Amino acid sequence: MIEGAPLTLFNSLTRQAEYFTPVHPGEARVYSCGPTVYNYPHIGNMRAYVFADVLGRTLSWKGFKLTHVINITDVGHLTDDADQGEDKMEKMAAEKAQSIWEIARHYTEAYWADIKALNIRQPADWSIATNYIEDMLDFAKSIADKHCYELPSGLYFDVSTVEDYGKLARAATDEGEGRIEAVEGKRHAADFAIWRKTPEGEKRQMEWDSPWGKGAPGWHLECSVMSGKLLGFPFDIHTGGIDHREIHHPNEIAQNQAFCGCGGLSEAANSGARLWMHNNFLVERSGKMSKSSGEFLRLQLLIDKGYHPLAYRLLCLQAQYRSELEFSWEGLAAALTRLKRMVLAVQALKKRHADKGQDPVEAPEGGWTFARLLDGIGGTLRPLAIRFDEAISDDLNTPVALTILEELLSLKKMPTDESLTLLGAMDAVLGLNLLELDRAELRLRPKGAAIDPAEIEAALERRKAARAEKDFATSDAIRDELAAKGVDVMDGDPLGWEWKL
Ligand code: AMP
Ligand code: ZN
C-alpha cells in the first residue's frame, strides 16, 4: 500500500520544518487560540481559522483521529498584549452600555457565523474561558510558590524561573520588542500577570475570589489551562497568528514549563505542545483591517459587496499560510472568478456523470483519507492524487494543491466516477464545498443594489427577444436602463455570467 508523503510542518519553536509524529499513535490533538469576543472578527482573524481548519483537514486526510479545540476569550485580554491598558471586554461593554455577557454572546455568535460561512469544520470543543476559572485558579496555585510573586496589582510570573524564556519569540528577555515596563515593581520587563487584582474601591463586571484577592485571570493563563486540561500535556500542535509568537505563546510556554515542572525547550514537548505553528498576517494598506477604523474589513462587508465568503477562503488558500497575504478588492474579485470557473467545471463534470445514469459519488464512512482514496481510483488519476498529497503534506502547500485540483478539472476524458471521487477527496482537504456549490449561489446581491435578480433576468429575456427581432434600439434601451440601476450586462462572458451588479 502507498503510505503517502510524510507530513512535514514548520515548527516555530525550532524554526524548522519537522516530520509530524503524533504524541498518541494514530491521533492528532490541536489547540488554536480563538478570538477575543469584544468585537467582530476581521477577515485577518479569520485567516487564522482557515489555516487551522486546513491543518485539521490535512491531519484527517493523513488518517489521524483529530481532536481540535478552539477557545473563546471572554475575559482577561487587555488592549495591549503585554499587560497594559484596559480589559477589551470591559471596555466594549462600557462603550455599548451592555453587560460583558451580552457582548460576549453577540460577538461569539457573529464569529461562529463567519466560521460557518467559510466552511470551517466545527472543532471538538469551543472552550469558553470563563467556564475554566476554577481550573485557572488551581493551575495558578500550583505554580505560584516557585514561579510567581505578588504586587499590589496582582500575581506575576517571574520569567527568570524557567529555562529558555522567549525562545519562541527569539527575543532577549529584557529587551524584547514591545516590552515596556508598565507595571511598577515587576522584576523583569517580560514578567506577566497571572492574576489581575481588582483595584481597591473598584468593582469589575467580571471578578472572582482568589488567594490574591478579588480579580480576573491574566490572558495567557487561560490557554495554558484549557489546552492542558482538554488535550493533556504534551499535545501535538498549538496554532495562532504570527503576533502570538512574540508574547502570548512564549508566556503560555513558560507557564506550561512551570506547571509540568519540566526542563528546557531543547525538548519540544516541554513547552506543552510539540509543534507551535503560526499563520502570517493578512495585510491591507489603507488600515481597514483595524477594528478601530469605521468600516473595518469583516466577512459580512465582503458579502454585502457581493462577494461569496468562499471566494475569501480561496483567496487565503492561494497563499501558503506562512507568507504574508495582501488583501485587495481586485484580488478578491479574481479569487471569485477562479472559484466560478471551478464550480462551472464541477457542474459540467457532474452533468456528464448524471447523463450516463450513474449514481452520485459519496464520501466513504469516516470521510476521505489518502489511503481510502487510493482504493477508489484507477491508474490514470493516481499520479494526480499522489502529487496532491505531496503538496498538502509539504507544510500545507495549498497554492500548489489548488493547481492540481484545477488540473483534474481540465481532464475531460476520465471516467467521471473516478474524477468525482478524486475531486471530493481533494475538496475534503481544501474545504471549498465544490461538490455542493451551485453557480447561481456564487452571485450574491450587494446590499445596496437597487434591483433584484429576477427583475434583471426578466429584462435580459426581453432584451434577447428584441435582439432576435433585430430591434437594436429596444435592446440598447434595456441595457441603458439596467446600467442606470447598477447592472453591468456582460455579453459573451466566457463564464456565462451574463450580468453583474
Ligand atoms: P484576537 O481576537 O486578537 O486574539 O485574534 C484572533 C486570531 O487572529 C489570533 O490567532 C491572531 O494572531 C490572528 N490575527 C490577528 N490579526 C491577523 C491578521 N491581520 N492576519 C492573520 N491573522 C491575524
Ligand atoms: Zn491563546
Side-chain angles (χ1 to χ4, degrees), residues 32-49 51 71 73 77 81 88 111 219 239-245 248-249 278-284 289 291 312 321 325:
S32 300
C33 279
T36 306
V37 285
Y38 72 105
N39 203 335
Y40 296 108
H42 57 51
I43 54 173
N45 298 134
M46 296 315 293
R47 185 183 185 201
Y49 306 107
F51 150 63
N71 77 286
T73 297
H77 196 172
D81 284 358
K88 289 187 179 186
Y111 166 68
W219 172 43
T239 80
I242 192 100
D243 53 332
H244 286 350
R245 203 179 67 182
H248 182 45
H249 289 171
H278 296 97
N279 62 277
N280 211 324
F281 264 28
L282 180 79
V283 293
E284 197 267 344
M289 202 75 78
K291 294 185 192 182
Y312 175 66
Y321 74 91
L325 171 60

Short mmCIF file of all heavy atoms in Angstrom, two decimals, residues 32-49 51 71 73 77 81 88 111 219 239-245 248-249 278-284 289 291 312 321 325, ligand 1:
data_model
loop_
_atom_site.label_atom_id
_atom_site.label_comp_id
_atom_site.label_asym_id
_atom_site.label_seq_id
_atom_site.Cartn_x
_atom_site.Cartn_y
_atom_site.Cartn_z
N SER A 32 -6.12 25.75 19.07
CA SER A 32 -5.96 27.03 18.37
C SER A 32 -6.44 28.16 19.25
O SER A 32 -7.54 28.09 19.80
CB SER A 32 -6.79 27.04 17.08
OG SER A 32 -6.38 26.00 16.23
N CYS A 33 -5.62 29.20 19.36
CA CYS A 33 -6.05 30.38 20.11
C CYS A 33 -7.23 31.00 19.38
O CYS A 33 -7.14 31.32 18.19
CB CYS A 33 -4.92 31.39 20.19
SG CYS A 33 -3.77 30.95 21.48
N GLY A 34 -8.30 31.18 20.11
CA GLY A 34 -9.52 31.70 19.49
C GLY A 34 -9.63 33.21 19.65
O GLY A 34 -8.72 33.86 20.16
N PRO A 35 -10.76 33.74 19.24
CA PRO A 35 -10.91 35.19 19.22
C PRO A 35 -11.24 35.75 20.61
O PRO A 35 -11.79 35.04 21.45
CB PRO A 35 -12.12 35.38 18.31
CG PRO A 35 -12.95 34.17 18.55
CD PRO A 35 -11.96 33.05 18.76
N THR A 36 -10.90 37.01 20.80
CA THR A 36 -11.40 37.75 21.95
C THR A 36 -12.70 38.39 21.49
O THR A 36 -12.71 39.17 20.53
CB THR A 36 -10.38 38.82 22.37
OG1 THR A 36 -9.12 38.17 22.56
CG2 THR A 36 -10.80 39.50 23.66
N VAL A 37 -13.78 38.02 22.16
CA VAL A 37 -15.10 38.35 21.60
C VAL A 37 -15.64 39.70 22.10
O VAL A 37 -16.72 39.79 22.64
CB VAL A 37 -16.11 37.20 21.85
CG1 VAL A 37 -15.82 36.05 20.92
CG2 VAL A 37 -16.07 36.71 23.30
N TYR A 38 -14.84 40.73 21.87
CA TYR A 38 -15.25 42.09 22.25
C TYR A 38 -15.71 42.86 21.04
O TYR A 38 -16.17 43.99 21.13
CB TYR A 38 -14.09 42.83 22.92
CG TYR A 38 -12.99 43.23 21.97
CD1 TYR A 38 -12.85 44.55 21.55
CD2 TYR A 38 -12.13 42.27 21.44
CE1 TYR A 38 -11.86 44.91 20.65
CE2 TYR A 38 -11.14 42.62 20.55
CZ TYR A 38 -11.00 43.94 20.15
OH TYR A 38 -10.04 44.29 19.25
N ASN A 39 -15.54 42.27 19.85
CA ASN A 39 -15.89 42.95 18.61
C ASN A 39 -16.01 41.86 17.53
O ASN A 39 -15.70 40.70 17.77
CB ASN A 39 -14.79 43.95 18.24
CG ASN A 39 -15.30 45.05 17.34
OD1 ASN A 39 -16.29 44.88 16.62
ND2 ASN A 39 -14.64 46.20 17.36
N TYR A 40 -16.43 42.28 16.33
CA TYR A 40 -16.48 41.31 15.23
C TYR A 40 -15.07 40.93 14.84
O TYR A 40 -14.16 41.76 14.93
CB TYR A 40 -17.17 41.94 14.01
CG TYR A 40 -18.60 42.29 14.27
CD1 TYR A 40 -19.00 43.62 14.41
CD2 TYR A 40 -19.56 41.29 14.38
CE1 TYR A 40 -20.33 43.94 14.67
CE2 TYR A 40 -20.89 41.60 14.64
CZ TYR A 40 -21.26 42.93 14.78
OH TYR A 40 -22.57 43.23 15.04
N PRO A 41 -14.86 39.67 14.41
CA PRO A 41 -13.54 39.36 13.88
C PRO A 41 -13.35 40.08 12.54
O PRO A 41 -14.32 40.27 11.80
CB PRO A 41 -13.61 37.84 13.65
CG PRO A 41 -15.06 37.49 13.60
CD PRO A 41 -15.81 38.55 14.35
N HIS A 42 -12.13 40.49 12.25
CA HIS A 42 -11.88 40.99 10.89
C HIS A 42 -11.41 39.82 10.02
O HIS A 42 -11.16 38.72 10.55
CB HIS A 42 -10.93 42.19 10.88
CG HIS A 42 -9.59 41.99 11.51
ND1 HIS A 42 -8.76 40.94 11.20
CD2 HIS A 42 -8.94 42.72 12.45
CE1 HIS A 42 -7.65 41.04 11.90
NE2 HIS A 42 -7.74 42.11 12.68
N ILE A 43 -11.32 40.07 8.72
CA ILE A 43 -11.01 38.93 7.85
C ILE A 43 -9.60 38.40 8.09
O ILE A 43 -9.31 37.24 7.81
CB ILE A 43 -11.25 39.25 6.35
CG1 ILE A 43 -10.48 40.49 5.93
CG2 ILE A 43 -12.74 39.39 6.06
CD1 ILE A 43 -10.54 40.75 4.43
N GLY A 44 -8.72 39.25 8.64
CA GLY A 44 -7.37 38.77 9.01
C GLY A 44 -7.48 37.71 10.10
O GLY A 44 -6.86 36.65 10.02
N ASN A 45 -8.29 37.99 11.11
CA ASN A 45 -8.51 36.99 12.17
C ASN A 45 -9.00 35.69 11.55
O ASN A 45 -8.56 34.60 11.92
CB ASN A 45 -9.57 37.44 13.18
CG ASN A 45 -9.19 38.70 13.94
OD1 ASN A 45 -9.99 39.61 14.08
ND2 ASN A 45 -7.97 38.77 14.43
N MET A 46 -9.90 35.80 10.58
CA MET A 46 -10.48 34.59 10.00
C MET A 46 -9.44 33.80 9.20
O MET A 46 -9.57 32.59 9.04
CB MET A 46 -11.72 34.91 9.16
CG MET A 46 -12.88 35.51 9.96
SD MET A 46 -13.27 34.70 11.55
CE MET A 46 -13.88 33.10 11.01
N ARG A 47 -8.40 34.48 8.71
CA ARG A 47 -7.33 33.74 8.04
C ARG A 47 -6.71 32.73 9.01
O ARG A 47 -6.35 31.61 8.62
CB ARG A 47 -6.24 34.69 7.51
CG ARG A 47 -5.20 33.94 6.70
CD ARG A 47 -4.04 34.80 6.20
NE ARG A 47 -3.19 33.99 5.34
CZ ARG A 47 -1.93 34.25 5.04
NH1 ARG A 47 -1.35 35.34 5.50
NH2 ARG A 47 -1.23 33.44 4.26
N ALA A 48 -6.61 33.12 10.28
CA ALA A 48 -6.03 32.22 11.28
C ALA A 48 -6.86 30.93 11.41
O ALA A 48 -6.31 29.85 11.63
CB ALA A 48 -5.92 32.92 12.63
N TYR A 49 -8.17 31.05 11.25
CA TYR A 49 -9.02 29.86 11.43
C TYR A 49 -9.15 29.06 10.14
O TYR A 49 -9.34 27.84 10.19
CB TYR A 49 -10.38 30.27 12.03
CG TYR A 49 -10.11 31.05 13.28
CD1 TYR A 49 -10.30 32.43 13.34
CD2 TYR A 49 -9.52 30.41 14.37
CE1 TYR A 49 -9.95 33.16 14.46
CE2 TYR A 49 -9.15 31.14 15.49
CZ TYR A 49 -9.36 32.51 15.53
OH TYR A 49 -8.97 33.22 16.63
N PHE A 51 -6.59 28.71 8.22
CA PHE A 51 -5.33 27.96 8.33
C PHE A 51 -5.50 26.76 9.27
O PHE A 51 -5.15 25.63 8.93
CB PHE A 51 -4.21 28.90 8.79
CG PHE A 51 -3.13 28.23 9.60
CD1 PHE A 51 -2.33 27.24 9.05
CD2 PHE A 51 -2.92 28.58 10.94
CE1 PHE A 51 -1.35 26.60 9.81
CE2 PHE A 51 -1.95 27.95 11.70
CZ PHE A 51 -1.16 26.95 11.14
N ASN A 71 -10.52 28.07 21.50
CA ASN A 71 -11.10 28.71 22.67
C ASN A 71 -11.80 30.02 22.31
O ASN A 71 -11.58 30.59 21.24
CB ASN A 71 -10.04 28.95 23.74
CG ASN A 71 -9.19 30.14 23.40
OD1 ASN A 71 -8.35 30.06 22.51
ND2 ASN A 71 -9.43 31.25 24.05
N THR A 73 -12.10 33.67 24.01
CA THR A 73 -11.60 34.50 25.10
C THR A 73 -12.65 35.53 25.47
O THR A 73 -12.93 36.45 24.71
CB THR A 73 -10.30 35.22 24.68
OG1 THR A 73 -9.31 34.24 24.41
CG2 THR A 73 -9.80 36.15 25.76
N HIS A 77 -8.16 39.59 28.23
CA HIS A 77 -7.29 40.11 27.18
C HIS A 77 -7.28 41.63 27.24
O HIS A 77 -8.31 42.26 27.03
CB HIS A 77 -7.79 39.61 25.82
CG HIS A 77 -6.79 39.76 24.72
ND1 HIS A 77 -6.98 39.22 23.46
CD2 HIS A 77 -5.59 40.39 24.67
CE1 HIS A 77 -5.94 39.51 22.71
NE2 HIS A 77 -5.09 40.22 23.42
N ASP A 81 -1.17 43.44 24.45
CA ASP A 81 -0.88 42.05 24.81
C ASP A 81 0.05 41.95 26.03
O ASP A 81 0.07 40.94 26.72
CB ASP A 81 -0.21 41.32 23.63
CG ASP A 81 -1.24 40.97 22.55
OD1 ASP A 81 -2.43 41.26 22.76
OD2 ASP A 81 -0.83 40.41 21.52
N LYS A 88 -10.26 44.34 27.23
CA LYS A 88 -11.00 44.63 25.99
C LYS A 88 -12.51 44.45 26.17
O LYS A 88 -13.31 45.20 25.62
CB LYS A 88 -10.53 43.70 24.87
CG LYS A 88 -9.15 44.00 24.34
CD LYS A 88 -8.84 43.12 23.12
CE LYS A 88 -7.45 43.43 22.56
NZ LYS A 88 -7.14 42.73 21.33
N TYR A 111 -18.92 35.46 15.28
CA TYR A 111 -17.71 34.71 14.91
C TYR A 111 -18.11 33.32 14.37
O TYR A 111 -17.61 32.88 13.33
CB TYR A 111 -16.80 34.61 16.13
CG TYR A 111 -15.69 33.59 16.02
CD1 TYR A 111 -14.63 33.76 15.13
CD2 TYR A 111 -15.69 32.45 16.82
CE1 TYR A 111 -13.61 32.82 15.06
CE2 TYR A 111 -14.66 31.51 16.76
CZ TYR A 111 -13.64 31.70 15.86
OH TYR A 111 -12.62 30.77 15.78
N TRP A 219 -4.54 36.94 30.66
CA TRP A 219 -4.96 36.34 29.40
C TRP A 219 -4.22 35.04 29.06
O TRP A 219 -4.80 34.06 28.60
CB TRP A 219 -4.78 37.37 28.28
CG TRP A 219 -4.98 36.88 26.90
CD1 TRP A 219 -5.98 36.06 26.44
CD2 TRP A 219 -4.17 37.20 25.76
NE1 TRP A 219 -5.84 35.86 25.09
CE2 TRP A 219 -4.74 36.55 24.65
CE3 TRP A 219 -3.03 37.98 25.57
CZ2 TRP A 219 -4.20 36.66 23.37
CZ3 TRP A 219 -2.51 38.10 24.30
CH2 TRP A 219 -3.09 37.43 23.21
N THR A 239 -1.72 26.35 17.59
CA THR A 239 -1.68 27.32 16.49
C THR A 239 -2.13 28.71 16.94
O THR A 239 -2.80 28.88 17.95
CB THR A 239 -2.59 26.91 15.29
OG1 THR A 239 -3.95 27.26 15.59
CG2 THR A 239 -2.49 25.45 14.97
N GLY A 240 -1.77 29.68 16.10
CA GLY A 240 -2.21 31.05 16.31
C GLY A 240 -1.61 31.92 15.22
O GLY A 240 -0.82 31.44 14.40
N GLY A 241 -1.97 33.19 15.22
CA GLY A 241 -1.38 34.13 14.27
C GLY A 241 0.04 34.47 14.71
O GLY A 241 0.42 34.29 15.87
N ILE A 242 0.80 34.99 13.76
CA ILE A 242 2.24 35.23 13.98
C ILE A 242 2.49 36.22 15.13
O ILE A 242 3.52 36.17 15.78
CB ILE A 242 2.88 35.73 12.66
CG1 ILE A 242 4.41 35.74 12.73
CG2 ILE A 242 2.40 37.11 12.28
CD1 ILE A 242 5.01 34.55 12.07
N ASP A 243 1.51 37.09 15.41
CA ASP A 243 1.68 38.03 16.53
C ASP A 243 1.80 37.27 17.86
O ASP A 243 2.48 37.71 18.77
CB ASP A 243 0.53 39.05 16.59
CG ASP A 243 -0.85 38.40 16.60
OD1 ASP A 243 -0.99 37.28 16.05
OD2 ASP A 243 -1.78 39.00 17.15
N HIS A 244 1.16 36.11 17.95
CA HIS A 244 1.20 35.35 19.19
C HIS A 244 2.56 34.72 19.46
O HIS A 244 2.84 34.26 20.56
CB HIS A 244 0.13 34.25 19.18
CG HIS A 244 -1.25 34.79 19.36
ND1 HIS A 244 -1.48 36.09 19.72
CD2 HIS A 244 -2.47 34.23 19.25
CE1 HIS A 244 -2.78 36.31 19.82
NE2 HIS A 244 -3.41 35.19 19.52
N ARG A 245 3.39 34.68 18.41
CA ARG A 245 4.73 34.11 18.59
C ARG A 245 5.58 35.00 19.50
O ARG A 245 6.55 34.56 20.07
CB ARG A 245 5.38 34.01 17.21
CG ARG A 245 6.47 33.00 17.10
CD ARG A 245 7.02 32.96 15.70
NE ARG A 245 7.71 34.20 15.36
CZ ARG A 245 8.25 34.46 14.18
NH1 ARG A 245 8.16 33.58 13.20
NH2 ARG A 245 8.86 35.59 13.95
N HIS A 248 2.19 36.20 23.61
CA HIS A 248 1.20 35.28 24.18
C HIS A 248 1.73 33.84 24.28
O HIS A 248 1.67 33.22 25.34
CB HIS A 248 -0.07 35.34 23.32
CG HIS A 248 -1.20 34.49 23.81
ND1 HIS A 248 -1.58 34.44 25.12
CD2 HIS A 248 -2.05 33.65 23.15
CE1 HIS A 248 -2.62 33.62 25.25
NE2 HIS A 248 -2.91 33.12 24.07
N HIS A 249 2.29 33.34 23.22
CA HIS A 249 2.75 31.94 23.25
C HIS A 249 4.03 31.73 24.06
O HIS A 249 4.12 30.74 24.79
CB HIS A 249 2.85 31.38 21.83
CG HIS A 249 1.50 31.17 21.22
ND1 HIS A 249 1.30 30.84 19.90
CD2 HIS A 249 0.25 31.25 21.76
CE1 HIS A 249 0.00 30.72 19.67
NE2 HIS A 249 -0.65 30.99 20.78
N HIS A 278 2.31 28.99 13.30
CA HIS A 278 1.75 30.36 13.21
C HIS A 278 1.48 30.76 11.77
O HIS A 278 2.34 30.60 10.91
CB HIS A 278 2.74 31.35 13.84
CG HIS A 278 2.92 31.09 15.30
ND1 HIS A 278 3.98 30.36 15.80
CD2 HIS A 278 2.14 31.42 16.36
CE1 HIS A 278 3.85 30.26 17.13
NE2 HIS A 278 2.74 30.89 17.49
N ASN A 279 0.28 31.28 11.57
CA ASN A 279 -0.03 31.81 10.25
C ASN A 279 0.44 33.25 10.17
O ASN A 279 0.39 33.99 11.15
CB ASN A 279 -1.54 31.75 9.96
CG ASN A 279 -2.35 32.60 10.91
OD1 ASN A 279 -2.66 32.16 12.01
ND2 ASN A 279 -2.67 33.82 10.51
N ASN A 280 0.91 33.62 8.99
CA ASN A 280 1.30 35.01 8.78
C ASN A 280 0.05 35.88 8.60
O ASN A 280 -1.06 35.37 8.48
CB ASN A 280 2.23 35.11 7.57
CG ASN A 280 3.23 36.26 7.73
OD1 ASN A 280 2.87 37.31 8.28
ND2 ASN A 280 4.43 36.07 7.26
N PHE A 281 0.27 37.17 8.54
CA PHE A 281 -0.85 38.11 8.54
C PHE A 281 -1.46 38.33 7.16
O PHE A 281 -0.79 38.23 6.14
CB PHE A 281 -0.39 39.46 9.10
CG PHE A 281 -0.69 39.60 10.56
CD1 PHE A 281 -0.76 38.49 11.39
CD2 PHE A 281 -0.91 40.85 11.12
CE1 PHE A 281 -1.06 38.62 12.74
CE2 PHE A 281 -1.19 41.00 12.47
CZ PHE A 281 -1.27 39.89 13.28
N LEU A 282 -2.72 38.65 7.18
CA LEU A 282 -3.37 39.27 6.04
C LEU A 282 -3.18 40.77 6.26
O LEU A 282 -3.48 41.27 7.34
CB LEU A 282 -4.87 38.93 6.05
CG LEU A 282 -5.68 39.52 4.91
CD1 LEU A 282 -5.47 38.69 3.64
CD2 LEU A 282 -7.16 39.56 5.25
N VAL A 283 -2.67 41.44 5.25
CA VAL A 283 -2.41 42.87 5.43
C VAL A 283 -3.21 43.68 4.42
O VAL A 283 -3.59 43.18 3.35
CB VAL A 283 -0.91 43.20 5.27
CG1 VAL A 283 -0.10 42.59 6.39
CG2 VAL A 283 -0.37 42.74 3.93
N GLU A 284 -3.45 44.90 4.79
CA GLU A 284 -4.22 45.77 3.90
C GLU A 284 -3.63 47.16 4.07
O GLU A 284 -3.40 47.61 5.19
CB GLU A 284 -5.70 45.73 4.32
CG GLU A 284 -6.65 46.23 3.28
CD GLU A 284 -6.96 47.69 3.46
OE1 GLU A 284 -6.67 48.25 4.54
OE2 GLU A 284 -7.45 48.31 2.50
N MET A 289 -8.06 47.06 8.19
CA MET A 289 -8.09 45.83 8.98
C MET A 289 -8.26 46.16 10.46
O MET A 289 -8.61 45.32 11.25
CB MET A 289 -6.78 45.07 8.78
CG MET A 289 -6.90 43.62 9.09
SD MET A 289 -7.75 42.78 7.81
CE MET A 289 -6.43 42.67 6.65
N LYS A 291 -9.79 47.27 13.79
CA LYS A 291 -11.17 47.31 14.28
C LYS A 291 -11.54 48.70 14.76
O LYS A 291 -12.71 48.98 14.99
CB LYS A 291 -11.34 46.29 15.40
CG LYS A 291 -11.19 44.87 14.90
CD LYS A 291 -11.46 43.83 15.95
CE LYS A 291 -11.01 42.47 15.44
NZ LYS A 291 -11.28 41.39 16.36
N TYR A 312 -13.36 34.36 -0.39
CA TYR A 312 -12.34 34.78 0.57
C TYR A 312 -11.53 33.56 1.05
O TYR A 312 -10.31 33.62 1.19
CB TYR A 312 -12.94 35.53 1.77
CG TYR A 312 -11.87 35.84 2.78
CD1 TYR A 312 -10.84 36.72 2.46
CD2 TYR A 312 -11.83 35.20 4.02
CE1 TYR A 312 -9.80 36.96 3.34
CE2 TYR A 312 -10.80 35.43 4.91
CZ TYR A 312 -9.79 36.31 4.56
OH TYR A 312 -8.74 36.53 5.43
N TYR A 321 0.32 29.41 4.14
CA TYR A 321 -0.06 30.12 5.37
C TYR A 321 1.07 30.91 6.00
O TYR A 321 0.83 31.83 6.77
CB TYR A 321 -0.65 29.12 6.40
CG TYR A 321 0.38 28.23 7.05
CD1 TYR A 321 1.01 28.61 8.23
CD2 TYR A 321 0.76 27.01 6.48
CE1 TYR A 321 1.99 27.81 8.83
CE2 TYR A 321 1.73 26.21 7.06
CZ TYR A 321 2.34 26.62 8.22
OH TYR A 321 3.31 25.83 8.79
N LEU A 325 -0.07 37.86 3.23
CA LEU A 325 -1.02 37.91 2.12
C LEU A 325 -1.63 39.30 2.09
O LEU A 325 -2.12 39.79 3.10
CB LEU A 325 -2.11 36.84 2.35
CG LEU A 325 -3.32 36.83 1.43
CD1 LEU A 325 -2.90 36.62 -0.02
CD2 LEU A 325 -4.29 35.72 1.84
P1 AMP B 1 -7.57 38.04 18.58
O1 AMP B 1 -9.06 38.01 18.57
O2 AMP B 1 -7.00 39.42 18.51
O3 AMP B 1 -6.98 37.24 19.73
O4 AMP B 1 -7.09 37.34 17.24
C1 AMP B 1 -7.57 36.11 16.78
C2 AMP B 1 -6.55 35.43 15.89
O5 AMP B 1 -6.32 36.19 14.69
C3 AMP B 1 -5.18 35.26 16.54
O6 AMP B 1 -4.69 33.97 16.20
C4 AMP B 1 -4.34 36.33 15.86
O7 AMP B 1 -2.99 36.00 15.88
C5 AMP B 1 -4.92 36.32 14.46
N1 AMP B 1 -4.72 37.55 13.68
C6 AMP B 1 -4.87 38.82 14.10
N2 AMP B 1 -4.69 39.69 13.07
C7 AMP B 1 -4.44 38.95 11.97
C8 AMP B 1 -4.18 39.27 10.58
N3 AMP B 1 -4.18 40.50 10.13
N4 AMP B 1 -3.96 38.24 9.73
C9 AMP B 1 -3.96 36.96 10.17
N5 AMP B 1 -4.21 36.60 11.45
C10 AMP B 1 -4.45 37.57 12.35
#
